[in-house]
Amino acid sequence: MRKLILMSAALTLVGCASAPDDENLCGTVSGYLEPAKDQGLYRAVVTHLDGKPVISKPNYQLAPGEYQFTVAELISDPAVKVKLAARTPKQFVINVEANERYHIGAQFNAGKIYRGMDDSYWQPVVWQQESYDCERVKLPDSSQ
């Protein structure tokens, strides 16, 4: 009986050691890189994550899953002549996968002159996706 208990305990420990630590898996959404303006891409800043206001930061380390980002564009192009009231944040969804980094920005829809309250001059985009080793670090108070 003692051998059976020891064997069961050993198998349990081996299983724990080889199982992936799913709660530390993450992906990263980044807005710090300057995208290629010659491709109509500009920086964007995150204002809300899943409907909650956030202080904008360069990287958002997130568990795998679907997230709704609200972003404001930082487009500096003379073709944009819309009213300040039309320069409002927009929402988009990113399905974050483990060990991936998503660079977000604002895609300027060039090709016509935008005036007045026309907010169709841009949309939020993921302009680059890359493999990235990501492991969430647990804080002592468990807040992220």
Side-chain angles (χ1 to χ4, degrees):
M1 182 70 167
R2 181 177 164 100
K3 275 186 175 179
L4 185 58
I5 292 171
L6 287 173
M7 189 187 231
S8 177
L11 288 173
T12 301
L13 288 175
V14 168
C16 289
S18 63
D21 191 1
D22 287 347
E23 65 183 54
N24 286 343
L25 290 177
C26 63
T28 303
V29 175
S30 298
Y32 68 91
L33 285 183
E34 187 73 40
K37 289 181 183 170
D38 63 339
Q39 295 177 16
L41 296 166
Y42 294 83
R43 289 194 55 225
V45 294
V46 176
T47 62
H48 293 73
L49 178 56
D50 285 341
K52 297 180 183 136
V54 295
I55 296 173
S56 188
K57 56 186 184 178
N59 294 299
Y60 295 86
Q61 210 175 60
L62 303 164
E66 191 173 279
Y67 296 90
Q68 182 181 60
F69 286 84
T70 303
V71 297
E73 50 86 1
L74 299 176
I75 297 173
S76 58
D77 189 295
V80 179
K81 299 181 190 301
V82 298
K83 293 183 177 183
L84 192 54
R87 296 187 83 147
T88 58
K90 293 186 177 183
Q91 297 177 345
F92 74 123
V93 173
I94 299 176
N95 186 19
V96 174
E97 295 178 17
N99 296 316
E100 289 291 315
R101 183 189 317 229
Y102 305 85
H103 294 281
I104 61 171
Q107 174 72 56
F108 176 51
N109 298 322
K112 76 173 202 175
I113 297 195
Y114 297 92
R115 297 183 189 279
M117 294 299 292
D118 187 355
D119 72 349
S120 65
Y121 66 96
W122 80 283
Q123 75 264 351
V125 294
V126 171
W127 59 271
Q128 182 177 328
Q129 181 178 342
E130 61 191 356
S131 294
Y132 175 74
D133 287 334
C134 182
E135 186 174 324
R136 290 190 334 160
V137 178
K138 290 264 191 187
L139 299 175
D141 65 354
S142 299
S143 64
Q144 289 288 317

PDB file of all heavy atoms in Angstrom, residues 1-9:
ATOM      1  N   MET A   1       0.818  -1.182   0.000  1.00  0.00           N
ATOM      2  CA  MET A   1       0.000   0.000   0.000  1.00  0.00           C
ATOM      3  C   MET A   1       0.870   1.257   0.000  1.00  0.00           C
ATOM      4  O   MET A   1       0.570   2.226  -0.682  1.00  0.00           O
ATOM      5  CB  MET A   1      -0.930  -0.043   1.226  1.00  0.00           C
ATOM      6  CG  MET A   1      -1.860   1.125   1.313  1.00  0.00           C
ATOM      7  SD  MET A   1      -3.072   0.975   0.010  1.00  0.00           S
ATOM      8  CE  MET A   1      -4.210   2.156   0.507  1.00  0.00           C
ATOM      9  N   ARG A   2       1.949   1.210   0.796  1.00  0.00           N
ATOM     10  CA  ARG A   2       2.853   2.357   0.881  1.00  0.00           C
ATOM     11  C   ARG A   2       3.471   2.645  -0.496  1.00  0.00           C
ATOM     12  O   ARG A   2       3.606   3.806  -0.904  1.00  0.00           O
ATOM     13  CB  ARG A   2       3.919   2.081   1.924  1.00  0.00           C
ATOM     14  CG  ARG A   2       4.893   3.227   2.114  1.00  0.00           C
ATOM     15  CD  ARG A   2       5.877   2.891   3.220  1.00  0.00           C
ATOM     16  NE  ARG A   2       7.017   3.755   3.175  1.00  0.00           N
ATOM     17  CZ  ARG A   2       7.177   4.805   3.960  1.00  0.00           C
ATOM     18  NH1 ARG A   2       6.267   5.089   4.859  1.00  0.00           N
ATOM     19  NH2 ARG A   2       8.240   5.547   3.861  1.00  0.00           N
ATOM     20  N   LYS A   3       3.851   1.589  -1.261  1.00  0.00           N
ATOM     21  CA  LYS A   3       4.417   1.758  -2.591  1.00  0.00           C
ATOM     22  C   LYS A   3       3.405   2.434  -3.521  1.00  0.00           C
ATOM     23  O   LYS A   3       3.763   3.280  -4.325  1.00  0.00           O
ATOM     24  CB  LYS A   3       4.832   0.408  -3.177  1.00  0.00           C
ATOM     25  CG  LYS A   3       6.178  -0.052  -2.779  1.00  0.00           C
ATOM     26  CD  LYS A   3       6.504  -1.319  -3.552  1.00  0.00           C
ATOM     27  CE  LYS A   3       7.927  -1.748  -3.261  1.00  0.00           C
ATOM     28  NZ  LYS A   3       8.265  -2.979  -3.960  1.00  0.00           N
ATOM     29  N   LEU A   4       2.155   2.040  -3.423  1.00  0.00           N
ATOM     30  CA  LEU A   4       1.107   2.607  -4.255  1.00  0.00           C
ATOM     31  C   LEU A   4       0.941   4.100  -3.978  1.00  0.00           C
ATOM     32  O   LEU A   4       0.819   4.906  -4.907  1.00  0.00           O
ATOM     33  CB  LEU A   4      -0.217   1.864  -4.017  1.00  0.00           C
ATOM     34  CG  LEU A   4      -1.393   2.270  -4.894  1.00  0.00           C
ATOM     35  CD1 LEU A   4      -1.057   2.083  -6.366  1.00  0.00           C
ATOM     36  CD2 LEU A   4      -2.612   1.472  -4.537  1.00  0.00           C
ATOM     37  N   ILE A   5       0.977   4.499  -2.715  1.00  0.00           N
ATOM     38  CA  ILE A   5       0.835   5.903  -2.347  1.00  0.00           C
ATOM     39  C   ILE A   5       2.024   6.705  -2.864  1.00  0.00           C
ATOM     40  O   ILE A   5       1.866   7.775  -3.444  1.00  0.00           O
ATOM     41  CB  ILE A   5       0.672   6.060  -0.817  1.00  0.00           C
ATOM     42  CG1 ILE A   5      -0.677   5.486  -0.390  1.00  0.00           C
ATOM     43  CG2 ILE A   5       0.788   7.515  -0.397  1.00  0.00           C
ATOM     44  CD1 ILE A   5      -0.861   5.396   1.106  1.00  0.00           C
ATOM     45  N   LEU A   6       3.241   6.178  -2.677  1.00  0.00           N
ATOM     46  CA  LEU A   6       4.441   6.867  -3.149  1.00  0.00           C
ATOM     47  C   LEU A   6       4.434   6.997  -4.664  1.00  0.00           C
ATOM     48  O   LEU A   6       4.797   8.028  -5.220  1.00  0.00           O
ATOM     49  CB  LEU A   6       5.702   6.141  -2.678  1.00  0.00           C
ATOM     50  CG  LEU A   6       6.034   6.272  -1.192  1.00  0.00           C
ATOM     51  CD1 LEU A   6       7.205   5.371  -0.836  1.00  0.00           C
ATOM     52  CD2 LEU A   6       6.339   7.702  -0.837  1.00  0.00           C
ATOM     53  N   MET A   7       4.018   5.930  -5.344  1.00  0.00           N
ATOM     54  CA  MET A   7       3.969   5.953  -6.800  1.00  0.00           C
ATOM     55  C   MET A   7       2.943   6.978  -7.288  1.00  0.00           C
ATOM     56  O   MET A   7       3.193   7.738  -8.215  1.00  0.00           O
ATOM     57  CB  MET A   7       3.634   4.566  -7.330  1.00  0.00           C
ATOM     58  CG  MET A   7       3.762   4.429  -8.806  1.00  0.00           C
ATOM     59  SD  MET A   7       3.140   2.830  -9.214  1.00  0.00           S
ATOM     60  CE  MET A   7       4.371   2.147 -10.174  1.00  0.00           C
ATOM     61  N   SER A   8       1.796   7.025  -6.630  1.00  0.00           N
ATOM     62  CA  SER A   8       0.753   7.987  -6.993  1.00  0.00           C
ATOM     63  C   SER A   8       1.235   9.419  -6.771  1.00  0.00           C
ATOM     64  O   SER A   8       1.023  10.294  -7.609  1.00  0.00           O
ATOM     65  CB  SER A   8      -0.504   7.717  -6.160  1.00  0.00           C
ATOM     66  OG  SER A   8      -1.480   8.672  -6.435  1.00  0.00           O
ATOM     67  N   ALA A   9       1.913   9.658  -5.658  1.00  0.00           N
ATOM     68  CA  ALA A   9       2.445  10.985  -5.365  1.00  0.00           C
ATOM     69  C   ALA A   9       3.488  11.381  -6.400  1.00  0.00           C
ATOM     70  O   ALA A   9       3.520  12.522  -6.867  1.00  0.00           O
ATOM     71  CB  ALA A   9       3.027  11.026  -3.957  1.00  0.00           C
TER      72      ALA A   9
END
